[in-house]
Amino acid sequence: MAKYKEMYKQSIENPEKFWKPFADKVFWYKKPEKILDASKAPFYRWFVGGVTNTCYNAVDRWVEAGKKDQPAYIWVSSETNQDRIITYGQLLDEVVKFASVLKNSGVKKGDRVIIYLPMVPEACIAALACARIGAIHSIVFAGFSTESLAIRIDDAKPKVLVCADAGKRAGKPVPLKSIVDEALQRAQFKVPVVILLDRGIVKPEMVAGRDVFWKDIVAKKGGDKVECEKMASTDPSYILYTSGTTGKPKGALRDTGGHLVALYTSMETIYGCKPGEIYWAASDVGWVVGHSYIIYAPLFYGITSVIYEGTPIYPDPGIWFRIIEKYKINRMFTSPTAFRVLKKFDEKFITERNLSTLKVIFLAGEPLDAPTWEWATRVTKNIPIIDHYWQTESGWAILTNPWGVEQIKIKPGSPTFPAWGWNLKVIDQAGKDMPDGEKGFLVGVPPTPPGCLMTIYGDDERYDIAYFKQFPGFVYATGDYAIKDKDGYYFVLGRADEVIKVAGHRLGTREIEEAILGHPAVAEVCTIGIEDKEKGQIPVAMVVLKEGKTPSDALKTEINNTVRNNVGAIASVHDIKFVMKLPKTRSGKIIRRVVKALFEGKPLGDLSTIEDGTSVDEIREAIKGMGENK
Ligand code: AMP
């Protein structure tokens, strides 16, 4: 691993020298004067003085280089039985039209635009149109429900919201416009313009003076030849809200130049892409993987990206592998959950397909267990299955096998080594290094590399506290537990905070708790994630009802519906237990560790560490209560 080691060492010891050659590979109107400005730590700024445009790098650059007839996106919908190839030339045309629509709707550089769309090409077109005019997009996962959308609207205060009548999941319509209408009513901020993509799935109600159909507004306002806005490298490009330890999501704010250079570098050095290839990230544009590896990175690299609407098992579990065969996919990126779902079905769905074009499959989003890794390797006839680890905040890999530089021996269950610029350590709560092989908190010694979040939108203090004030010393807290083995391989063990990962989707237990507390019968609640074979983790809740309220299955359903309506179906609570009391410390803090052990039927562990004897009684009472109400 000499090559990796040498490059990695340089990325830590001399980041300027490491990143400059990669920065030289993207297009700048004006080249950066300084690679890294660390003077206002922890607000690291990359490629300072550089002027560029993300949309130019993704689209115009390739049209000007003679690639106008090459596919930029291949859209496949197994939900609506459609597919569509969009060449770079066609994409430029559509992006310019929508940029013109946004401009003529009053959107200026720095203004926000919320995109609440299912997996349709228009989601990417709208994002690129924002990038073209320097507007900050905030894509909200179209599985999120009213309250989640309303919170994001109030935080981002968008000039325009782009949505669709509906999406579809496993053939069933998922209405979106009605959620938008309700969210807009709940939000304090009044969004002046709503652009609706009418897919003909459900009949949308239109609000006069505010709502307009995509087709109509493009015809009316899409005619200007809008050029790319000249953006400073340090100008923000997008906000992506993610769950944290409080109920309010964190708006991770991405820069322009760091994002561009980091993603370009990852395509070459991590994924090992080559010109002319087809890259398929089977994720959703509402998550960070979709931002980085559906919308942007393949286009920054001038290759073809697949936009897929559907699940891995609809209409049957062979669908993904037929797509790989039909479109000759070269590199794929998805989540371990997808393989755990596929594992339940006949492996012939996979083994009978010709996957000869597929060179590698990358997985991320949650721990990849060794049995799933082994199964996936076997059924794909030894296609390398590469685990890598990252998060919304980082925007690209933190731990990875640098496949494009050197193919390092895989240890199942490990996302291998630190990515460029990530000076990682495993420490204890006091900030001391853990010995090899022992569990601790995974942290990064600053600076954070290019592409990592600039701040939390509108809240520099929260950024500083959430990421840099969690441990003594000055380190970036990933929020995860990890172990480093004696060979330097890392194993990520899951979140050390109140965040859970359900089928790779990141959720805050606080968000779910706040939704449950919204139910009139609920007095107190504690939500945790427990282990699940297929989804990795699933949320469950312990609920204390108000005086006079009686536990029942009907009440459980009602409470769960509150979660589904306020957060979204992905947060659906798997099990609710009614208890008399929650296990707490004297200071009133719920002891989640004990709640988790109760739910998982595991030993409660050492209760003597709890300071106050009465809280132990409370725990016992809770166990008794649980038995009574089960
Ligand atoms: P998100 O911000 O939604 O991408 O979620 C990030 C979190 O997902 C991380 O902090 C980890 O808890 C988890 N995660 C992502 N990739 C991996 C991986 N390869 N192995 C273990 N956990 C992962």
PDB file of all heavy atoms in Angstrom, residues 242 287-289 336 363-368 387-393 399 413 415 478-480 492-495 499 501 504-506, ligand 1:
ATOM      1  N   THR A 242     -29.842  17.597   7.992  1.00  0.00           N
ATOM      2  CA  THR A 242     -29.613  16.254   8.488  1.00  0.00           C
ATOM      3  C   THR A 242     -29.941  16.200   9.970  1.00  0.00           C
ATOM      4  O   THR A 242     -29.989  17.232  10.641  1.00  0.00           O
ATOM      5  CB  THR A 242     -28.163  15.801   8.199  1.00  0.00           C
ATOM      6  OG1 THR A 242     -28.052  14.420   8.530  1.00  0.00           O
ATOM      7  CG2 THR A 242     -27.139  16.582   8.992  1.00  0.00           C
ATOM      8  N   TRP A 287     -30.771  12.596  -0.143  1.00  0.00           N
ATOM      9  CA  TRP A 287     -29.693  12.276   0.801  1.00  0.00           C
ATOM     10  C   TRP A 287     -28.361  12.735   0.231  1.00  0.00           C
ATOM     11  O   TRP A 287     -28.244  12.995  -0.957  1.00  0.00           O
ATOM     12  CB  TRP A 287     -29.639  10.769   1.073  1.00  0.00           C
ATOM     13  CG  TRP A 287     -30.935  10.178   1.513  1.00  0.00           C
ATOM     14  CD1 TRP A 287     -31.653   9.231   0.858  1.00  0.00           C
ATOM     15  CD2 TRP A 287     -31.690  10.481   2.710  1.00  0.00           C
ATOM     16  NE1 TRP A 287     -32.799   8.922   1.571  1.00  0.00           N
ATOM     17  CE2 TRP A 287     -32.844   9.669   2.694  1.00  0.00           C
ATOM     18  CE3 TRP A 287     -31.490  11.359   3.779  1.00  0.00           C
ATOM     19  CZ2 TRP A 287     -33.804   9.714   3.715  1.00  0.00           C
ATOM     20  CZ3 TRP A 287     -32.440  11.405   4.783  1.00  0.00           C
ATOM     21  CH2 TRP A 287     -33.579  10.591   4.750  1.00  0.00           C
ATOM     22  N   VAL A 288     -27.345  12.719   1.066  1.00  0.00           N
ATOM     23  CA  VAL A 288     -26.059  13.256   0.607  1.00  0.00           C
ATOM     24  C   VAL A 288     -25.461  12.415  -0.521  1.00  0.00           C
ATOM     25  O   VAL A 288     -24.840  12.944  -1.440  1.00  0.00           O
ATOM     26  CB  VAL A 288     -25.067  13.428   1.787  1.00  0.00           C
ATOM     27  CG1 VAL A 288     -24.599  12.094   2.341  1.00  0.00           C
ATOM     28  CG2 VAL A 288     -23.901  14.303   1.378  1.00  0.00           C
ATOM     29  N   VAL A 289     -25.673  11.104  -0.488  1.00  0.00           N
ATOM     30  CA  VAL A 289     -25.121  10.267  -1.562  1.00  0.00           C
ATOM     31  C   VAL A 289     -25.710  10.689  -2.904  1.00  0.00           C
ATOM     32  O   VAL A 289     -25.019  10.744  -3.922  1.00  0.00           O
ATOM     33  CB  VAL A 289     -25.398   8.762  -1.296  1.00  0.00           C
ATOM     34  CG1 VAL A 289     -24.901   7.910  -2.446  1.00  0.00           C
ATOM     35  CG2 VAL A 289     -24.764   8.323   0.014  1.00  0.00           C
ATOM     36  N   PRO A 336     -25.774  -1.063   2.356  1.00  0.00           N
ATOM     37  CA  PRO A 336     -25.830  -2.463   2.791  1.00  0.00           C
ATOM     38  C   PRO A 336     -27.265  -2.980   2.892  1.00  0.00           C
ATOM     39  O   PRO A 336     -27.533  -4.139   2.570  1.00  0.00           O
ATOM     40  CB  PRO A 336     -25.161  -2.430   4.174  1.00  0.00           C
ATOM     41  CG  PRO A 336     -24.230  -1.269   4.114  1.00  0.00           C
ATOM     42  CD  PRO A 336     -24.930  -0.255   3.255  1.00  0.00           C
ATOM     43  N   LEU A 363     -20.414   0.424  -1.088  1.00  0.00           N
ATOM     44  CA  LEU A 363     -21.530   0.523  -0.154  1.00  0.00           C
ATOM     45  C   LEU A 363     -21.187   1.533   0.942  1.00  0.00           C
ATOM     46  O   LEU A 363     -20.019   1.651   1.333  1.00  0.00           O
ATOM     47  CB  LEU A 363     -21.824  -0.828   0.496  1.00  0.00           C
ATOM     48  CG  LEU A 363     -22.180  -2.003  -0.434  1.00  0.00           C
ATOM     49  CD1 LEU A 363     -22.474  -3.249   0.389  1.00  0.00           C
ATOM     50  CD2 LEU A 363     -23.378  -1.684  -1.312  1.00  0.00           C
ATOM     51  N   ALA A 364     -22.201   2.228   1.426  1.00  0.00           N
ATOM     52  CA  ALA A 364     -22.011   3.144   2.565  1.00  0.00           C
ATOM     53  C   ALA A 364     -23.360   3.431   3.195  1.00  0.00           C
ATOM     54  O   ALA A 364     -24.395   3.075   2.645  1.00  0.00           O
ATOM     55  CB  ALA A 364     -21.364   4.447   2.113  1.00  0.00           C
ATOM     56  N   GLY A 365     -23.320   4.083   4.336  1.00  0.00           N
ATOM     57  CA  GLY A 365     -24.546   4.551   4.979  1.00  0.00           C
ATOM     58  C   GLY A 365     -24.801   3.906   6.323  1.00  0.00           C
ATOM     59  O   GLY A 365     -25.549   4.430   7.131  1.00  0.00           O
ATOM     60  N   GLU A 366     -24.191   2.756   6.557  1.00  0.00           N
ATOM     61  CA  GLU A 366     -24.404   2.031   7.813  1.00  0.00           C
ATOM     62  C   GLU A 366     -23.363   0.917   7.844  1.00  0.00           C
ATOM     63  O   GLU A 366     -22.770   0.590   6.808  1.00  0.00           O
ATOM     64  CB  GLU A 366     -25.811   1.437   7.833  1.00  0.00           C
ATOM     65  CG  GLU A 366     -26.002   0.557   6.632  1.00  0.00           C
ATOM     66  CD  GLU A 366     -27.419   0.087   6.408  1.00  0.00           C
ATOM     67  OE1 GLU A 366     -28.028  -0.361   7.375  1.00  0.00           O
ATOM     68  OE2 GLU A 366     -27.853   0.152   5.258  1.00  0.00           O
ATOM     69  N   PRO A 367     -23.142   0.325   9.006  1.00  0.00           N
ATOM     70  CA  PRO A 367     -22.140  -0.740   9.048  1.00  0.00           C
ATOM     71  C   PRO A 367     -22.499  -1.883   8.093  1.00  0.00           C
ATOM     72  O   PRO A 367     -23.665  -2.250   7.956  1.00  0.00           O
ATOM     73  CB  PRO A 367     -22.194  -1.208  10.504  1.00  0.00           C
ATOM     74  CG  PRO A 367     -22.722  -0.025  11.263  1.00  0.00           C
ATOM     75  CD  PRO A 367     -23.684   0.646  10.330  1.00  0.00           C
ATOM     76  N   LEU A 368     -21.492  -2.393   7.402  1.00  0.00           N
ATOM     77  CA  LEU A 368     -21.685  -3.523   6.488  1.00  0.00           C
ATOM     78  C   LEU A 368     -21.199  -4.784   7.207  1.00  0.00           C
ATOM     79  O   LEU A 368     -20.008  -4.949   7.450  1.00  0.00           O
ATOM     80  CB  LEU A 368     -20.879  -3.291   5.200  1.00  0.00           C
ATOM     81  CG  LEU A 368     -20.764  -4.481   4.244  1.00  0.00           C
ATOM     82  CD1 LEU A 368     -22.134  -4.921   3.745  1.00  0.00           C
ATOM     83  CD2 LEU A 368     -19.877  -4.120   3.054  1.00  0.00           C
ATOM     84  N   ASP A 387     -16.684  -1.371   1.111  1.00  0.00           N
ATOM     85  CA  ASP A 387     -17.344  -0.587   2.147  1.00  0.00           C
ATOM     86  C   ASP A 387     -16.606   0.737   2.266  1.00  0.00           C
ATOM     87  O   ASP A 387     -15.373   0.769   2.247  1.00  0.00           O
ATOM     88  CB  ASP A 387     -17.229  -1.380   3.463  1.00  0.00           C
ATOM     89  CG  ASP A 387     -17.966  -0.728   4.619  1.00  0.00           C
ATOM     90  OD1 ASP A 387     -18.715   0.231   4.382  1.00  0.00           O
ATOM     91  OD2 ASP A 387     -17.787  -1.206   5.761  1.00  0.00           O
ATOM     92  N   HIS A 388     -17.319   1.823   2.331  1.00  0.00           N
ATOM     93  CA  HIS A 388     -16.684   3.093   2.689  1.00  0.00           C
ATOM     94  C   HIS A 388     -17.623   3.883   3.579  1.00  0.00           C
ATOM     95  O   HIS A 388     -18.825   3.657   3.584  1.00  0.00           O
ATOM     96  CB  HIS A 388     -16.145   3.856   1.491  1.00  0.00           C
ATOM     97  CG  HIS A 388     -17.155   4.340   0.483  1.00  0.00           C
ATOM     98  ND1 HIS A 388     -18.323   3.680   0.186  1.00  0.00           N
ATOM     99  CD2 HIS A 388     -17.135   5.443  -0.315  1.00  0.00           C
ATOM    100  CE1 HIS A 388     -18.979   4.344  -0.746  1.00  0.00           C
ATOM    101  NE2 HIS A 388     -18.284   5.418  -1.062  1.00  0.00           N
ATOM    102  N   TYR A 389     -17.027   4.772   4.358  1.00  0.00           N
ATOM    103  CA  TYR A 389     -17.771   5.429   5.427  1.00  0.00           C
ATOM    104  C   TYR A 389     -17.694   6.930   5.258  1.00  0.00           C
ATOM    105  O   TYR A 389     -16.616   7.482   5.020  1.00  0.00           O
ATOM    106  CB  TYR A 389     -17.143   5.020   6.770  1.00  0.00           C
ATOM    107  CG  TYR A 389     -17.377   5.984   7.911  1.00  0.00           C
ATOM    108  CD1 TYR A 389     -18.497   5.865   8.725  1.00  0.00           C
ATOM    109  CD2 TYR A 389     -16.462   7.002   8.189  1.00  0.00           C
ATOM    110  CE1 TYR A 389     -18.703   6.749   9.780  1.00  0.00           C
ATOM    111  CE2 TYR A 389     -16.663   7.880   9.236  1.00  0.00           C
ATOM    112  CZ  TYR A 389     -17.782   7.755  10.029  1.00  0.00           C
ATOM    113  OH  TYR A 389     -17.984   8.625  11.068  1.00  0.00           O
ATOM    114  N   TRP A 390     -18.849   7.569   5.357  1.00  0.00           N
ATOM    115  CA  TRP A 390     -18.869   9.035   5.371  1.00  0.00           C
ATOM    116  C   TRP A 390     -20.205   9.524   5.894  1.00  0.00           C
ATOM    117  O   TRP A 390     -20.998   8.741   6.390  1.00  0.00           O
ATOM    118  CB  TRP A 390     -18.517   9.631   4.015  1.00  0.00           C
ATOM    119  CG  TRP A 390     -19.185   9.119   2.778  1.00  0.00           C
ATOM    120  CD1 TRP A 390     -19.078   7.860   2.245  1.00  0.00           C
ATOM    121  CD2 TRP A 390     -20.020   9.848   1.877  1.00  0.00           C
ATOM    122  NE1 TRP A 390     -19.791   7.790   1.076  1.00  0.00           N
ATOM    123  CE2 TRP A 390     -20.378   8.992   0.817  1.00  0.00           C
ATOM    124  CE3 TRP A 390     -20.487  11.167   1.848  1.00  0.00           C
ATOM    125  CZ2 TRP A 390     -21.181   9.402  -0.247  1.00  0.00           C
ATOM    126  CZ3 TRP A 390     -21.285  11.588   0.785  1.00  0.00           C
ATOM    127  CH2 TRP A 390     -21.626  10.700  -0.250  1.00  0.00           C
ATOM    128  N   GLN A 391     -20.425  10.820   5.819  1.00  0.00           N
ATOM    129  CA  GLN A 391     -21.652  11.386   6.377  1.00  0.00           C
ATOM    130  C   GLN A 391     -22.043  12.663   5.642  1.00  0.00           C
ATOM    131  O   GLN A 391     -21.245  13.207   4.884  1.00  0.00           O
ATOM    132  CB  GLN A 391     -21.482  11.639   7.882  1.00  0.00           C
ATOM    133  CG  GLN A 391     -20.195  12.271   8.267  1.00  0.00           C
ATOM    134  CD  GLN A 391     -19.924  12.360   9.769  1.00  0.00           C
ATOM    135  OE1 GLN A 391     -19.208  13.232  10.184  1.00  0.00           O
ATOM    136  NE2 GLN A 391     -20.477  11.495  10.596  1.00  0.00           N
ATOM    137  N   THR A 392     -23.266  13.090   5.881  1.00  0.00           N
ATOM    138  CA  THR A 392     -23.765  14.304   5.226  1.00  0.00           C
ATOM    139  C   THR A 392     -22.740  15.425   5.349  1.00  0.00           C
ATOM    140  O   THR A 392     -22.461  16.146   4.392  1.00  0.00           O
ATOM    141  CB  THR A 392     -25.093  14.746   5.890  1.00  0.00           C
ATOM    142  OG1 THR A 392     -26.007  13.658   5.812  1.00  0.00           O
ATOM    143  CG2 THR A 392     -25.676  15.962   5.225  1.00  0.00           C
ATOM    144  N   GLU A 393     -22.195  15.561   6.538  1.00  0.00           N
ATOM    145  CA  GLU A 393     -21.281  16.665   6.808  1.00  0.00           C
ATOM    146  C   GLU A 393     -20.045  16.618   5.911  1.00  0.00           C
ATOM    147  O   GLU A 393     -19.591  17.636   5.407  1.00  0.00           O
ATOM    148  CB  GLU A 393     -20.823  16.623   8.269  1.00  0.00           C
ATOM    149  CG  GLU A 393     -21.896  16.968   9.284  1.00  0.00           C
ATOM    150  CD  GLU A 393     -22.790  15.798   9.672  1.00  0.00           C
ATOM    151  OE1 GLU A 393     -22.790  14.769   8.965  1.00  0.00           O
ATOM    152  OE2 GLU A 393     -23.501  15.918  10.691  1.00  0.00           O
ATOM    153  N   LEU A 399     -13.593   7.375   5.391  1.00  0.00           N
ATOM    154  CA  LEU A 399     -12.810   6.134   5.390  1.00  0.00           C
ATOM    155  C   LEU A 399     -13.100   5.416   4.083  1.00  0.00           C
ATOM    156  O   LEU A 399     -14.257   5.320   3.674  1.00  0.00           O
ATOM    157  CB  LEU A 399     -13.258   5.214   6.524  1.00  0.00           C
ATOM    158  CG  LEU A 399     -12.798   5.530   7.929  1.00  0.00           C
ATOM    159  CD1 LEU A 399     -13.583   4.699   8.939  1.00  0.00           C
ATOM    160  CD2 LEU A 399     -11.300   5.267   8.098  1.00  0.00           C
ATOM    161  N   GLY A 413     -16.247  -5.938   6.926  1.00  0.00           N
ATOM    162  CA  GLY A 413     -16.709  -5.211   8.111  1.00  0.00           C
ATOM    163  C   GLY A 413     -15.923  -3.938   8.353  1.00  0.00           C
ATOM    164  O   GLY A 413     -16.267  -3.160   9.225  1.00  0.00           O
ATOM    165  N   PRO A 415     -14.397  -0.311   6.663  1.00  0.00           N
ATOM    166  CA  PRO A 415     -14.288   0.603   5.522  1.00  0.00           C
ATOM    167  C   PRO A 415     -12.830   1.016   5.242  1.00  0.00           C
ATOM    168  O   PRO A 415     -12.582   2.024   4.586  1.00  0.00           O
ATOM    169  CB  PRO A 415     -15.143   1.798   5.916  1.00  0.00           C
ATOM    170  CG  PRO A 415     -15.731   1.491   7.250  1.00  0.00           C
ATOM    171  CD  PRO A 415     -14.961   0.365   7.856  1.00  0.00           C
ATOM    172  N   THR A 478     -17.112  12.955  14.747  1.00  0.00           N
ATOM    173  CA  THR A 478     -17.977  12.357  13.713  1.00  0.00           C
ATOM    174  C   THR A 478     -19.306  11.919  14.302  1.00  0.00           C
ATOM    175  O   THR A 478     -20.276  11.741  13.583  1.00  0.00           O
ATOM    176  CB  THR A 478     -17.326  11.100  13.094  1.00  0.00           C
ATOM    177  OG1 THR A 478     -17.153  10.117  14.128  1.00  0.00           O
ATOM    178  CG2 THR A 478     -15.995  11.412  12.441  1.00  0.00           C
ATOM    179  N   GLY A 479     -19.327  11.665  15.623  1.00  0.00           N
ATOM    180  CA  GLY A 479     -20.548  11.145  16.258  1.00  0.00           C
ATOM    181  C   GLY A 479     -20.590   9.631  16.286  1.00  0.00           C
ATOM    182  O   GLY A 479     -21.554   9.044  16.760  1.00  0.00           O
ATOM    183  N   ASP A 480     -19.530   8.981  15.773  1.00  0.00           N
ATOM    184  CA  ASP A 480     -19.526   7.517  15.698  1.00  0.00           C
ATOM    185  C   ASP A 480     -18.506   6.890  16.641  1.00  0.00           C
ATOM    186  O   ASP A 480     -17.477   7.484  16.951  1.00  0.00           O
ATOM    187  CB  ASP A 480     -19.187   7.077  14.265  1.00  0.00           C
ATOM    188  CG  ASP A 480     -20.362   7.281  13.334  1.00  0.00           C
ATOM    189  OD1 ASP A 480     -21.404   6.653  13.547  1.00  0.00           O
ATOM    190  OD2 ASP A 480     -20.228   8.107  12.402  1.00  0.00           O
ATOM    191  N   VAL A 492     -16.237   0.850  11.936  1.00  0.00           N
ATOM    192  CA  VAL A 492     -17.177   1.827  12.500  1.00  0.00           C
ATOM    193  C   VAL A 492     -18.330   1.062  13.131  1.00  0.00           C
ATOM    194  O   VAL A 492     -18.957   0.220  12.483  1.00  0.00           O
ATOM    195  CB  VAL A 492     -17.680   2.806  11.416  1.00  0.00           C
ATOM    196  CG1 VAL A 492     -18.653   3.816  12.019  1.00  0.00           C
ATOM    197  CG2 VAL A 492     -16.507   3.525  10.767  1.00  0.00           C
ATOM    198  N   LEU A 493     -18.590   1.362  14.390  1.00  0.00           N
ATOM    199  CA  LEU A 493     -19.531   0.519  15.138  1.00  0.00           C
ATOM    200  C   LEU A 493     -20.929   1.110  15.281  1.00  0.00           C
ATOM    201  O   LEU A 493     -21.803   0.490  15.850  1.00  0.00           O
ATOM    202  CB  LEU A 493     -18.956   0.243  16.534  1.00  0.00           C
ATOM    203  CG  LEU A 493     -17.527  -0.301  16.532  1.00  0.00           C
ATOM    204  CD1 LEU A 493     -16.989  -0.386  17.941  1.00  0.00           C
ATOM    205  CD2 LEU A 493     -17.467  -1.668  15.872  1.00  0.00           C
ATOM    206  N   GLY A 494     -21.114   2.327  14.778  1.00  0.00           N
ATOM    207  CA  GLY A 494     -22.452   2.947  14.903  1.00  0.00           C
ATOM    208  C   GLY A 494     -22.360   4.231  15.697  1.00  0.00           C
ATOM    209  O   GLY A 494     -21.300   4.600  16.219  1.00  0.00           O
ATOM    210  N   ARG A 495     -23.494   4.921  15.803  1.00  0.00           N
ATOM    211  CA  ARG A 495     -23.505   6.246  16.396  1.00  0.00           C
ATOM    212  C   ARG A 495     -23.323   6.201  17.908  1.00  0.00           C
ATOM    213  O   ARG A 495     -23.849   5.326  18.591  1.00  0.00           O
ATOM    214  CB  ARG A 495     -24.838   6.941  16.094  1.00  0.00           C
ATOM    215  CG  ARG A 495     -25.119   7.159  14.637  1.00  0.00           C
ATOM    216  CD  ARG A 495     -24.273   8.194  13.979  1.00  0.00           C
ATOM    217  NE  ARG A 495     -24.334   9.501  14.600  1.00  0.00           N
ATOM    218  CZ  ARG A 495     -23.871  10.613  14.024  1.00  0.00           C
ATOM    219  NH1 ARG A 495     -23.305  10.568  12.819  1.00  0.00           N
ATOM    220  NH2 ARG A 495     -23.952  11.756  14.637  1.00  0.00           N
ATOM    221  N   VAL A 499     -28.484   9.716  17.406  1.00  0.00           N
ATOM    222  CA  VAL A 499     -28.863   9.578  16.004  1.00  0.00           C
ATOM    223  C   VAL A 499     -28.944   8.087  15.698  1.00  0.00           C
ATOM    224  O   VAL A 499     -28.159   7.311  16.219  1.00  0.00           O
ATOM    225  CB  VAL A 499     -27.806  10.268  15.109  1.00  0.00           C
ATOM    226  CG1 VAL A 499     -27.999   9.916  13.654  1.00  0.00           C
ATOM    227  CG2 VAL A 499     -27.854  11.783  15.305  1.00  0.00           C
ATOM    228  N   LYS A 501     -29.666   4.990  12.469  1.00  0.00           N
ATOM    229  CA  LYS A 501     -29.676   4.790  11.020  1.00  0.00           C
ATOM    230  C   LYS A 501     -30.649   3.667  10.693  1.00  0.00           C
ATOM    231  O   LYS A 501     -30.414   2.527  11.041  1.00  0.00           O
ATOM    232  CB  LYS A 501     -28.280   4.421  10.518  1.00  0.00           C
ATOM    233  CG  LYS A 501     -27.206   5.457  10.705  1.00  0.00           C
ATOM    234  CD  LYS A 501     -27.270   6.675   9.797  1.00  0.00           C
ATOM    235  CE  LYS A 501     -27.457   6.506   8.359  1.00  0.00           C
ATOM    236  NZ  LYS A 501     -26.584   7.151   7.445  1.00  0.00           N
ATOM    237  N   GLY A 504     -30.150   2.785   6.468  1.00  0.00           N
ATOM    238  CA  GLY A 504     -29.221   3.784   5.931  1.00  0.00           C
ATOM    239  C   GLY A 504     -29.727   5.212   6.056  1.00  0.00           C
ATOM    240  O   GLY A 504     -28.986   6.149   5.807  1.00  0.00           O
ATOM    241  N   HIS A 505     -30.999   5.400   6.417  1.00  0.00           N
ATOM    242  CA  HIS A 505     -31.534   6.762   6.562  1.00  0.00           C
ATOM    243  C   HIS A 505     -31.237   7.282   7.952  1.00  0.00           C
ATOM    244  O   HIS A 505     -31.458   6.608   8.940  1.00  0.00           O
ATOM    245  CB  HIS A 505     -33.044   6.793   6.340  1.00  0.00           C
ATOM    246  CG  HIS A 505     -33.470   6.249   5.012  1.00  0.00           C
ATOM    247  ND1 HIS A 505     -32.731   6.439   3.865  1.00  0.00           N
ATOM    248  CD2 HIS A 505     -34.543   5.520   4.643  1.00  0.00           C
ATOM    249  CE1 HIS A 505     -33.343   5.851   2.857  1.00  0.00           C
ATOM    250  NE2 HIS A 505     -34.432   5.278   3.299  1.00  0.00           N
ATOM    251  N   ARG A 506     -30.772   8.514   8.000  1.00  0.00           N
ATOM    252  CA  ARG A 506     -30.362   9.084   9.283  1.00  0.00           C
ATOM    253  C   ARG A 506     -31.532   9.792   9.957  1.00  0.00           C
ATOM    254  O   ARG A 506     -32.147  10.675   9.374  1.00  0.00           O
ATOM    255  CB  ARG A 506     -29.216  10.071   9.004  1.00  0.00           C
ATOM    256  CG  ARG A 506     -28.701  10.795  10.202  1.00  0.00           C
ATOM    257  CD  ARG A 506     -27.355  11.392   9.845  1.00  0.00           C
ATOM    258  NE  ARG A 506     -26.960  12.438  10.725  1.00  0.00           N
ATOM    259  CZ  ARG A 506     -25.833  13.126  10.590  1.00  0.00           C
ATOM    260  NH1 ARG A 506     -25.008  12.860   9.592  1.00  0.00           N
ATOM    261  NH2 ARG A 506     -25.514  14.078  11.421  1.00  0.00           N
TER     262      ARG A 506
HETATM  263  P1  AMP B   1     -25.615  10.374   6.775  1.00  0.00           P
HETATM  264  O1  AMP B   1     -25.273  11.727   7.242  1.00  0.00           O
HETATM  265  O2  AMP B   1     -27.067  10.156   6.565  1.00  0.00           O
HETATM  266  O3  AMP B   1     -24.810   9.985   5.583  1.00  0.00           O
HETATM  267  O4  AMP B   1     -25.228   9.369   7.955  1.00  0.00           O
HETATM  268  C1  AMP B   1     -23.908   9.304   8.409  1.00  0.00           C
HETATM  269  C2  AMP B   1     -23.756   8.198   9.384  1.00  0.00           C
HETATM  270  O5  AMP B   1     -24.014   6.932   8.752  1.00  0.00           O
HETATM  271  C3  AMP B   1     -22.377   8.045   9.938  1.00  0.00           C
HETATM  272  O6  AMP B   1     -22.109   8.961  10.970  1.00  0.00           O
HETATM  273  C4  AMP B   1     -22.392   6.598  10.405  1.00  0.00           C
HETATM  274  O7  AMP B   1     -23.064   6.456  11.624  1.00  0.00           O
HETATM  275  C5  AMP B   1     -23.210   5.912   9.318  1.00  0.00           C
HETATM  276  N1  AMP B   1     -22.351   5.320   8.270  1.00  0.00           N
HETATM  277  C6  AMP B   1     -22.159   5.774   7.023  1.00  0.00           C
HETATM  278  N2  AMP B   1     -21.369   4.942   6.323  1.00  0.00           N
HETATM  279  C7  AMP B   1     -21.023   3.918   7.141  1.00  0.00           C
HETATM  280  C8  AMP B   1     -20.205   2.750   7.020  1.00  0.00           C
HETATM  281  N3  AMP B   1     -19.606   2.424   5.881  1.00  0.00           N
HETATM  282  N4  AMP B   1     -20.063   1.965   8.107  1.00  0.00           N
HETATM  283  C9  AMP B   1     -20.670   2.277   9.279  1.00  0.00           C
HETATM  284  N5  AMP B   1     -21.460   3.348   9.454  1.00  0.00           N
HETATM  285  C10 AMP B   1     -21.651   4.173   8.398  1.00  0.00           C
END
